[in-house]
Amino acid sequence: MTRREWLQSNPPPKAAGALRTLLTQLEQENTARQLLETNKRTYAQHVAYWNQESANARALGDMVKMNHANAQLADVQAKIAELDRQLAATAGLAARIAALQTELAGAAKCPVHQTDLLRHKNRPDDLFLCEIGPHFFLWTKYGDGARLSKVDLNKPMPDLDGKMDWI
Ligand SMILES: [Zn+2]
């Protein structure tokens, strides 16, 4: 069995570094979404206010005031409709963040520093980088399973298409 074949049946964990970048983006989107929700609550108060103003003006027979209140009401309702449209577009955001956090918990971490590992760009198949070391870890066979092993830079990297014998 070659290393490449072995990797197909023993895929390495995802690199936490890449997942965390995505998570940060989603969390920023979620912060923006929360602002929309705050705005919506504020506009809902405006709706209550202009509804009351309109009713008061109607009771007094003040058509000018009532028309003004109704125009304000329509304006606020249009703003709420636009906010609802934007909120609907990002409705799945919280679930995506939760799923990503679960994925991140199972992602590759440096066995020494317990920090995020990055995929090595020159060898994304099975080589990971810890920026703190900096040091490298290879996803490789260990007993019947697999684990991250520190790379000895004095040895050549095992060939992906060579026989799987590197521990
Ligand atoms: Zn490390």
Side-chain angles (χ1 to χ4, degrees):
M1 184 186 282
T2 66
R3 167 164 283 273
R4 200 184 293 282
E5 287 166 346
W6 178 83
L7 284 167
Q8 273 169 12
S9 48
N10 300 276
K14 290 193 174 170
L19 293 176
R20 200 172 296 281
T21 303
L22 179 58
L23 183 62
T24 303
Q25 285 170 8
L26 293 183
E27 283 169 345
Q28 282 168 357
E29 283 178 35
N30 207 33
T31 301
R33 187 176 202 278
Q34 282 161 357
L35 186 62
L36 297 183
E37 281 174 340
T38 303
N39 290 348
K40 191 182 164 182
R41 280 193 295 274
T42 303
Y43 285 138
Q45 288 168 359
H46 293 185
V47 166
Y49 173 79
W50 289 115
N51 261 325
Q52 189 60 51
E53 284 291 293
S54 177
N56 291 348
R58 190 183 305 112
L60 295 169
D62 187 339
M63 288 302 135
V64 173
K65 208 174 173 188
M66 190 186 87
N67 287 342
H68 173 69
N70 286 346
Q72 292 295 322
L73 193 58
D75 184 51
V76 171
Q77 281 167 336
K79 282 174 178 159
I80 290 176
E82 173 58 20
L83 286 175
D84 279 339
R85 192 190 62 75
Q86 291 177 28
L87 285 166
T90 54
L93 206 51
R96 280 178 69 204
I97 288 173
L100 202 55
Q101 281 167 337
T102 303
E103 214 177 332
L104 198 55
K109 297 212 171 47
C110 174
V112 180
H113 298 105
Q114 298 303 317
T115 48
D116 294 353
L117 288 182
L118 299 167
R119 289 279 184 134
H120 195 285
K121 287 188 182 70
N122 294 341
R123 170 103 172 210
D125 313 81
D126 54 0
L127 188 61
F128 292 85
L129 162 70
C130 168
E131 289 181 310
I132 295 176
H135 42 199
F136 303 92
F137 295 91
L138 196 69
W139 181 248
T140 195
K141 188 167 155 55
Y142 183 75
D144 291 332
R147 73 168 186 182
L148 290 167
S149 300
K150 198 157 187 278
V151 172
D152 181 352
L153 293 173
N154 295 317
K155 290 182 183 172
M157 284 291 291
D159 185 358
L160 276 170
D161 295 304
K163 191 171 167 290
M164 180 68 195
D165 59 357
W166 202 84
I167 306 277

